[in-house]
Amino acid sequence: MFRSPSFDIYFPSKNRNGTQPVLLFIPGAGVDHSAYSTVADKMSRDHSIIVVVISLEPFRMAATELLEMGTILHA
């Protein structure tokens, strides 16, 4: 797992050859993104996908002006 102030990334234990599917997970309103760490880790391990859980601090809301998709996609 890789943790940053903006997002957490969960990597599968097995690497696939070629491209890796990615699940972008946006937490519910008012919920800290770390609350999804167990689910994200299990999804990554069980399904061999990369799971990215976005941090929506400080307001914990996914309003368009707060969620900078360009930054997330670049990461």
Side-chain angles (χ1 to χ4, degrees):
M1 182 190 66
F2 172 80
R3 179 163 276 165
S4 80
S6 301
F7 52 85
D8 295 343
I9 303 177
Y10 297 83
F11 296 97
S13 55
K14 298 178 185 174
N15 287 332
R16 296 180 178 184
N17 293 331
T19 60
Q20 229 18 59
V22 176
L23 173 67
L24 181 62
F25 194 90
I26 301 174
V31 179
D32 186 280
H33 74 287
S34 64
Y36 298 97
S37 62
T38 302
V39 172
D41 185 54
K42 183 167 176 48
M43 289 175 67
S44 179
R45 286 185 288 114
D46 291 355
H47 300 287
S48 297
I49 61 174
I50 297 170
V51 179
V52 180
V53 183
I54 305 302
S55 172
L56 299 173
E57 298 299 329
F59 303 109
R60 298 184 181 164
M61 301 294 272
T64 305
E65 63 272 15
L66 299 177
L67 187 59
E68 298 178 14
M69 290 304 292
T71 302
I72 294 164
L73 293 174
H74 177 72

